[in-house]
Amino acid sequence: MLNVYRMYSELVSASITDGGPYASKTSFVKLLRSVKRETLKLIETFLDKAEDQLHIGKQFVSPMMEYVLADYARNVPDARESEVLSLFATIINKYKATMLDDVPNIFEAVFQCTLEVIEFRDLVLCYSHYIC
């Protein structure tokens, strides 16, 4: 799943970078972003329902966290997905003990970027970031 997320994220970023600010409104980019969002939701559901928290926390969450946080920070504001915030809220809530040391890194990676998204978009278009 992480590879699917990675591939679509790179396609979205490249399309928006090459096509400018209006590229995010094209049907192609909207479709790519839809797959990216659904992948994040699928990962979130898997992590929320997983039973073996210790094993999954070590084997899956750490590598996934590094890439998704770096991707969120690196992307242009129009390519950032609010589902990333939801995913990390689920991770912190579900894997409290194993994620305690990572909370400052998560906040560092998403806080400034999310403010940029809020500043970049009109408040109405950015509503999904506020409900997370």
Side-chain angles (χ1 to χ4, degrees):
M1 290 288 21
L2 187 55
N3 287 333
V4 171
Y5 174 82
R6 182 178 295 146
M7 181 183 72
Y8 278 90
S9 181
E10 290 171 2
L11 286 170
V12 168
S13 295
S15 297
I16 291 175
T17 301
D18 294 344
Y22 296 107
S24 65
K25 297 178 182 16
T26 64
S27 59
F28 177 69
V29 172
K30 285 181 180 180
L31 182 61
L32 293 174
R33 289 185 71 189
S34 176
V35 172
K36 185 178 165 184
R37 280 191 301 271
E38 293 302 317
T39 303
L40 287 168
K41 288 178 187 176
L42 184 60
I43 292 170
E44 181 180 351
T45 302
F46 167 72
L47 292 174
D48 188 42
K49 303 298 180 195
E51 301 277 331
D52 188 7
Q53 293 180 7
L54 184 60
H55 178 71
I56 290 174
K58 289 180 180 177
Q59 298 295 321
F60 184 74
V61 173
S62 292
M64 184 266 319
M65 186 174 74
E66 291 174 21
Y67 182 79
V68 173
L69 287 176
D71 178 64
Y72 188 81
R74 178 180 58 244
N75 275 336
V76 295
D78 222 17
R80 294 182 185 135
E81 303 296 341
S82 63
E83 284 77 9
V84 170
L85 303 176
S86 178
L87 171 65
F88 282 99
T90 298
I91 288 171
I92 291 169
N93 286 327
K94 180 80 176 189
Y95 300 89
K96 290 178 179 130
T98 57
M99 299 305 298
L100 196 55
D101 294 335
D102 294 312
V103 171
N105 296 334
I106 293 169
F107 276 121
E108 183 180 329
V110 300
F111 188 75
Q112 184 63 36
C113 298
T114 303
L115 287 178
E116 290 172 10
V117 170
I118 293 167
E119 292 170 0
F120 182 76
R121 296 181 185 169
D122 182 20
L123 187 60
V124 174
L125 296 175
C126 190
Y127 178 73
S128 63
H129 280 73
Y130 286 104
I131 61 173
C132 185

